[in-house]
Amino acid sequence: MGVLDECHYHVEVENGVNVVELGRERNPETVAIEDAVRVLLQGLGEDINREGLLKTPLRVAEALRDGTRGYNQNVKDIVSGALFPEAGLESSVGSAGGAGGLVIVRDLDLFSYCESCLLPFQVKCHVGYVPSGQRVVGLSKLSRVAEVFAKRLQDPQRLAGEVCAALQQSIKPTGVAVVLQCSHIHFPNFRSPLSDPNHQGLVKLSVISGSGVFDDEKAGIWTDFLGLLRFRGVSVEDAHTRGSLDKSWCPSRVICKMAASDSSLLAAVSSILYSLGEDPLRKDLMETPARFINWLMNFKNANVDMKLNGFVRPGIFSGGEEHICSELNLPFWSQCEHHLLPFHGVVHVGYYSSNRVNSVGKSLLQSIVHFYGFKLQVQERLTRQIAEVVSSVLGEDIIVVVEASHTCMISRGIEKLGSSTATIAVLGRFSTDPTARAKFLQIIPHSTL
């Protein structure tokens, strides 16, 4: 279908019917990404006309274009008109406020797309500079300049260096310092997701970059800068400086490479890179399509089964007192079917039993959680599916709580690190007895998402 920019409408297919939607204009890049996403969904074996996926190509395209809008932004346009006169101390020894005084903006929440795998990563950014020439810059501009470079395909070291260099060039201070604390989602081994119960869900990395008086990493001004960060509980003792990291931090670089891949899928991801304004043949991007597809196809090829064979459903209890038993903090990993972005978290399951000790093995419940997690999902459906299957093996009195961190929510919606969602499903007595629900909810530990 062509792009109808002048008429400002487009046609979508919903339930087999062409629907004309007025007032929306899509450019060729957006359409190209949508087409590529449809190819990827079909490669997963999905029905692109399924109701939950009808608008996924458009959502993915909009998310990617919004997440890389920094390619179309100019630092000069942001800083221009935001420099203000401020003298500072002139006749005394020392520095204060304006010229010569250290200025820091801390705890900026940023999100960027990893150039190695096309998955978003989270950034806590701290920026400082020493004004010169009796002028300071509006503090909000430091955040906006940092976001310009975060909204591109990035790796942490280059991001820190580009923010630092842009501020040095645009406001010409005595020096600039940038500290980034980055977190990249790290999926477990899809082939055997139950084998490593201690798997850490995030890879974390701190990087620093400095210019001017901060160019010397051992300069005393760094002591002042880092000391002010420690007030916020920020420790960067293990931070990497320019050139000190010998390999990419991205987990996709250490997973085994794909033996082979459908060339149409690789071409689809290359088309996405091109539509975002990048060159798929750039050295750092040449293996990105294969890595992205390697991650995506895991949701199709994961060897995950529900271990229900041989399990005997408990008989109906005929006497004595039943107690609420629980299995808490069962990890899960999934992929949002609306944006093709990962989400992960923990599942808590409660049920009634005549034994005070849990009568069901953790591995049984974990296998159920993984079976429904390793799919294109929405959290509400995942919660319901787990509750229904658990009730089929443990009886009808079931409560399930799912806590999750969604990449799509924190990078495009709330945009706050640490944001999470919770959903609940209740069956049998838990649906009619608020006291039972409250008792179970009280034993759920404080979330560590």
Side-chain angles (χ1 to χ4, degrees):
M1 182 183 69
V3 183
L4 306 172
D5 289 342
E6 295 182 0
C7 296
H8 294 265
Y9 70 90
H10 72 276
V11 178
E12 287 190 350
V13 177
E14 295 187 4
N15 298 323
V17 179
N18 288 339
V19 178
V20 178
E21 191 169 332
L22 299 175
R24 296 185 59 185
E25 175 183 342
R26 298 183 302 164
N27 56 37
E29 290 78 13
T30 299
V31 174
I33 296 174
E34 290 183 62
D35 291 340
V37 172
R38 291 188 184 95
V39 172
L40 297 176
L41 289 172
Q42 290 172 326
L44 275 172
E46 284 283 356
D47 176 8
I48 60 174
N49 292 317
R50 176 164 68 82
E51 184 177 358
L53 297 179
L54 277 174
K55 293 189 177 181
T56 293
L58 178 59
R59 292 190 188 102
V60 174
E62 290 178 340
L64 285 170
R65 286 181 57 77
D66 178 68
T68 56
R69 64 178 182 270
Y71 288 117
N72 300 316
Q73 294 176 320
N74 190 300
V75 171
K76 183 178 180 181
D77 295 337
I78 293 174
V79 175
S80 178
L83 294 171
F84 308 99
E86 193 66 40
L89 292 177
E90 296 180 356
S91 59
S92 302
V93 176
S95 61
L102 177 59
V103 180
I104 297 180
V105 175
R106 302 175 292 200
D107 298 324
L108 302 173
D109 287 337
L110 304 175
F111 305 88
S112 192
Y113 277 88
C114 174
E115 70 177 10
S116 292
C117 64
L118 286 187
L119 295 182
F121 64 93
Q122 306 171 11
V123 182
K124 183 74 75 172
C125 175
H126 315 279
V127 182
Y129 79 106
V130 178
S132 66
Q134 297 189 356
R135 61 180 185 176
V136 296
V137 67
L139 297 179
S140 66
K141 306 305 179 185
L142 299 179
S143 174
R144 291 187 59 192
V145 169
E147 188 174 51
V148 165
F149 294 97
K151 296 300 184 183
R152 301 178 182 184
L153 301 186
Q154 282 289 5
D155 71 65
Q157 285 189 318
R158 189 173 72 246
L159 175 57
E162 289 180 341
V163 172
C164 184
L167 288 172
Q168 183 68 43
Q169 182 178 7
S170 59
I171 64 180
K172 296 179 171 51
T174 302
V176 176
V178 177
V179 171
L180 304 181
Q181 297 172 286
C182 306
S183 301
H184 193 309
I185 193 168
H186 183 198
F187 276 79
N189 182 350
F190 285 85
R191 301 296 178 186
S192 183
L194 298 176
S195 63
D196 185 7
N198 298 316
H199 174 81
Q200 298 298 312
L202 293 174
V203 172
K204 297 186 178 183
L205 178 72
S206 296
V207 297
I208 63 175
S209 183
S211 62
V213 293
F214 289 98
D215 195 47
D216 181 358
E217 298 159 9
K218 297 182 179 179
I221 191 70
W222 270 110
T223 302
D224 298 338
F225 181 85
L226 297 177
L228 290 171
L229 291 187
R230 290 190 183 96
F231 288 162
R232 305 289 293 179
V234 177
S235 175
V236 291
E237 295 178 357
D238 58 347
H240 292 271
T241 56
R242 184 172 54 248
S244 66
L245 191 62
D246 58 358
K247 62 180 181 179
S248 171
W249 73 314
C250 177
S252 70
R253 285 183 175 267
V254 297
I255 348 181
C256 56
K257 293 185 178 180
M258 300 164 44
S261 179
D262 188 328
S263 60
S264 65
L265 301 181
L266 294 172
V269 180
S270 295
S271 172
I272 290 174
L273 293 174
Y274 182 80
S275 298
L276 294 177
E278 272 286 2
D279 179 7
L281 297 180
R282 178 163 68 85
K283 179 180 178 181
D284 292 328
L285 294 178
M286 291 185 67
E287 294 186 13
T288 297
R291 294 193 189 101
F292 179 79
I293 292 180
N294 188 40
W295 166 77
L296 188 66
M297 289 301 113
N298 275 316
F299 289 92
K300 178 181 179 181
N301 302 324
N303 182 22
V304 180
D305 295 313
M306 286 193 291
K307 299 182 177 180
L308 303 183
N309 293 336
F311 179 81
V312 179
R313 177 171 175 169
I316 299 176
F317 185 68
S318 58
E321 182 182 358
E322 288 184 296
H323 304 277
I324 296 177
C325 288
S326 64
E327 196 62 66
L328 308 175
N329 290 324
L330 300 168
F332 80 90
W333 306 83
S334 195
Q335 182 178 202
C336 171
E337 72 174 32
H338 292 160
H339 298 95
L340 293 190
L341 291 174
F343 68 101
H344 67 104
V346 292
V347 177
H348 313 292
V349 179
Y351 57 97
Y352 277 96
S353 173
S354 59
N355 299 317
R356 288 188 177 274
V357 179
N358 290 6
S359 61
V360 179
K362 180 176 181 178
S363 62
L364 171 69
L365 297 179
Q366 184 69 80
S367 69
I368 295 172
V369 168
H370 278 315
F371 181 82
Y372 287 104
F374 284 121
K375 303 180 188 305
L376 293 187
Q377 274 287 13
V378 294
Q379 185 174 334
E380 297 86 345
R381 183 196 307 144
L382 174 65
T383 309
R384 174 181 56 79
Q385 289 174 333
I386 293 172
E388 289 175 347
V389 174
V390 171
S391 70
S392 71
V393 296
L394 292 182
E396 62 181 11
D397 303 320
I398 299 295
I399 182 169
V400 172
V401 173
V402 176
E403 298 183 277
S405 175
H406 289 253
T407 307
C408 57
M409 183 182 74
I410 60 178
S411 62
R412 301 190 66 247
I414 295 177
E415 297 194 0
K416 181 68 177 177
L417 299 183
S419 301
S420 63
T421 61
T423 49
I424 186 171
V426 289
L427 300 175
R429 277 179 281 180
F430 284 106
S431 66
T432 59
D433 186 353
T435 302
R437 294 197 299 272
K439 185 176 180 179
F440 175 76
L441 294 175
Q442 287 174 356
I443 67 176
I444 295 178
H446 179 72
S447 176
T448 58
L449 292 179

